[in-house]
Amino acid sequence: MKTTKFLLASLFVMSMIVLPSCLDDDDYDMSLRYPNALVTVKETADDKLFFQLDDQTTLLPVNINTHPYGGKEVRALVNYKEVDVPSGDFDKAVHVNWIDSIRTKPMAPNLGDQNDEKYGNDPVEIVRDWVTIAEDGYLTLRFRTLWSNMGVTHHVNLIPTNNPENPYEVEFRHDAKGDVGGRMGDGLVAFKLDDLPDTEGETVKLKLIWNAFNGVTKSVEFDYKTRTATPGTNVIAEQRNVIPLN
């Protein structure tokens, strides 16, 4: 799934951290416009920047000297290429062409009868896509809903359902703040799943439910395993997304 590419700029305007390149305009590689990986941006205990590509693979970005997000752990889209240089304690060394953070949030508490008031219940669709995935202790989602051009900030949250028969059932909540017209457009958001019970090394089914546009509750399951200890920080920054999203 990680090799699939799509043009996020067709969904919303991207604002990327672009790293220097020696390519001339006439030789520009169009593939540089597209992300080719979804990663977690981390630091080791001694402040060494690295990327977690999936549950097993780590990347050393050899052309970035400082943490692009102030030392905070976030999910991000990147465009990179592997390079043949020593990677030390990491699996691969890479040259990063650009990186763009995704809105990264902790889970929110289930408030029972107050959930609709607190988190809203406006419809969305979850898009089947390579970035819709549970990995490295996060659930990253590409979702689709109506957006106007009025600059209204939509709020999205992930809450546990507190289903006694399935502790790994979660619900995506969307509060459009009254912005329920306009055109369909997509957003990206990542939620850290450390509020869920430890799977103790086992892979379980993580069930996601949401309120769809046809008025029914839809669901999908992901393979999920609590992430193993890494040298990265556990601090989450609620990084910006370029569409109005909270």
Side-chain angles (χ1 to χ4, degrees), residues 142-215:
R142 177 178 169 187
F143 65 94
R144 181 167 294 158
T145 192
L146 293 170
W147 309 86
S148 72
N149 294 319
M150 304 302 293
V152 177
T153 299
H154 291 223
H155 289 219
V156 293
N157 285 283
L158 188 74
I159 62 174
T161 62
N162 295 343
N163 181 351
E165 297 182 358
N166 184 4
Y168 302 103
E169 183 177 272
V170 295
E171 182 178 2
F172 184 82
R173 286 284 184 145
H174 171 224
D175 186 352
K177 298 297 182 180
D179 184 33
V180 294
R183 297 182 178 181
M184 283 288 184
D186 290 16
L188 287 175
V189 64
F191 298 98
K192 195 169 188 182
L193 301 174
D194 53 354
D195 285 345
L196 297 181
D198 195 319
T199 66
E200 299 180 352
E202 299 295 323
T203 298
V204 302
K205 291 298 183 181
L206 174 69
K207 183 177 181 180
L208 173 70
I209 65 175
W210 69 93
N211 180 32
F213 273 93
N214 60 4

Side-chain angles (χ1 to χ4, degrees), residues 64-110:
I64 306 179
N65 296 321
T66 59
H67 196 299
Y69 306 111
K72 300 182 186 299
E73 182 176 309
V74 298
R75 296 284 276 169
L77 295 167
V78 296
N79 181 287
Y80 76 90
K81 65 177 180 179
E82 293 184 29
V83 291
D84 187 17
V85 299
S87 59
D89 294 331
F90 306 100
D91 295 311
K92 299 177 182 180
V94 298
H95 176 97
V96 178
N97 297 308
W98 58 258
I99 181 169
D100 189 30
S101 66
I102 293 172
R103 186 78 170 177
T104 306
K105 304 183 66 172
M107 291 181 64
N110 188 318

